[in-house]
Each structure stands twice: as C-alpha cells, then as structure tokens.
Amino acid sequence: MTPEPEAISDTAGRRAGVKRPGDRVFEFLSTSAATLITVIIAAIGLFLILRAIPALARNEGGFWGFLTYTGTWQTQDTTAMQFGIPNLFAVTVLISLVALVIAMPIALGVAIFLSNYAPKRMVKPLGYLVDMLAAVPSIVYGLWGWQTLGPFLGDFYAWLNSWAGDFFLFEVYPNSPGFGTGRNIMTGGVVLAVMILPVIAATAREVFVQTPRGQIEAAQALGATKWEVVRMTVLPFGMSGYISGAMLGLGRALGETMALYMVVSPSAHFRFSLFDGGTTFATAIANAAAEFNNDISAGAYIAAGLVLFVLTFAVNSIARSIVKSK
C-alpha cells in the first residue's frame, strides 16, 4: 500500500530534525569558538577601559583634555598629568594614508597581472613571492628602512624639498630629522606600503579570479580586448574585494609598532609635514614601556591603546560590511 503524501512529509521532517552525534559535536565546537573570540575581544576592551579610567580621572581636563591636548605628555607625576591623543591620531592616520596611496595602485596591478595576464606556470611562484612579503617580520622591515631605505631616499627628499619646500607637506623645520637619515613620516609610509601590499594584492586577486566566466566570454564575444575585458568585467566584479583588502591593510598599518619605531624619528609635535618626525599610538606605547611599573602612568598609554583598539576595530568592521554588501 502506498503511503499518503502527508505521512511521507512528516517522516522526512522528523528525519531532517534529527541531529547526528557528529553534527552536535561540530555545532558545539564552532559555537564555542565563536563565543570564545567574542569573549576575548570584550575582555580586552574591558581591560583597557578599566585601566584607562584612573589615569583619565587625573588628567588635566579629564576626558576632554585627553581628546584635545597637543603638548608633550607629562605622566611621571601622577598628581599633575597632562596627555592627549590629537598628535598621535594625526601621525598614525597620515602615515597609514601615505602607505595606502603607495600600496593600493601597485597591489591592484599585481592582482590584475596574476589573475589575468601571468602565464599559468608563473602564477603560483609569483603569488608565493608576493605572499612572502607578508611573512617577513616587521623588525626586519624596520632595519631595512632605517639602514638602507631612509638614507637611499635622502637625496630625493632634498631635491623634492628644494622646489616644493613651501608646500606644507614637504616643509622642513629646525628640529626635523635630517635627510641623510631619512627617518621621517614619508619613509615610514613607504615601509608600511611594502608591508601591507601583499594583504591588498592577495585579497583582490582572490576576488578577481572568481569573476563569472560567462561575463568574460560575453565580453570577448563582442570583440573586447584583454584590457577591455578586465575593465568591463573583472574590475567591477572585484572592486569590493579590492577595497576591503585595502581596509584590512589599513588596519595593519594603524597598529604597526616595531618598523615605525625604528624608521620614524619620535616627535611630540605634528605639523602636517611628510619630512617631519612623529609618534603613532603604537610607537608612543613602545617608547614609554619604562613607565609601566606605575599603574597610573601606564594607564595614560593604555587609554591611547584603547583608542587604537577602537580605531582598528572600526576599520575592520567597515571592511567586513563592504564585503557583505557586495
């Protein structure tokens, strides 16, 4: 006798609702992993807030002073503390923007070449070569920028300043680092560009190679050249991946410490010049490590770390939202 359709449907529904032991284990492990990451991020944020509050309470001007004070930090005397983030924020953002301006066009060219122009036998070796840049420790980049790149660019900086020195971005001040060492914001931006280039290139390439084959063949059938195919199909399809890769690279650039610690001459001031020294959030914390035996003094730098934490979290969230929207 043939079962009724309703009975078949009920039986299939009961079977679909039954979870096998393996499914239960996998669900538990994946849920636990996601929960653990959330708890860790929340714990880090809570730790930063709790450690920053006592220092902010003793800061001259309180939290508002923390957001507006642009002078030299005074944190050793915990009864008369003065510290603020505008200069740190400005230097961090400026160096990161310089790195993006340099790295994004090069990374786009690398991604287009590897996904559309490179011979098949060369794609993997060249891809590994680009990825190797991400495996180099940041302290190696710092040594390279300090000992080789900075002095090498010194003559170029002097030439650029000779005819563009009146422009604020290329102005030199009496206490700016010398061109012979090249330990300025511009050199820091170049070093960061090399560091974030593989992140942007790899992300963009992974999206470019997923361009629907039908769209590419349709463009070719209409007589489009190789570049026209890339311009009309690959770039529009993969632009979200390219932008999100740039945002992820920006997130790394914002928090870079050792390379900038060695390449950029520290300075408490910010004067919008690429030939000036500067201090980022990360390098300020590294420079003040000797003060961390005092919880209140350390709290001032932990407050700066909290701002950096929020900034990088926001940048990565924007990148995720761009990918999700596309």
Side-chain angles (χ1 to χ4, degrees), residues 4-17:
E4 295 294 330
E6 293 80 1
I8 296 175
S9 177
D10 292 342
T11 303
R14 286 195 298 270
R15 289 178 179 175

Side-chain angles (χ1 to χ4, degrees), residues 132-134 136-146 191 194-195 259 263:
M132 279 292 294
L133 292 175
V136 177
S138 60
I139 194 169
V140 174
Y141 281 114
L143 287 170
W144 169 67
W146 173 29
V191 171
V194 177
M195 296 178 68
V263 171

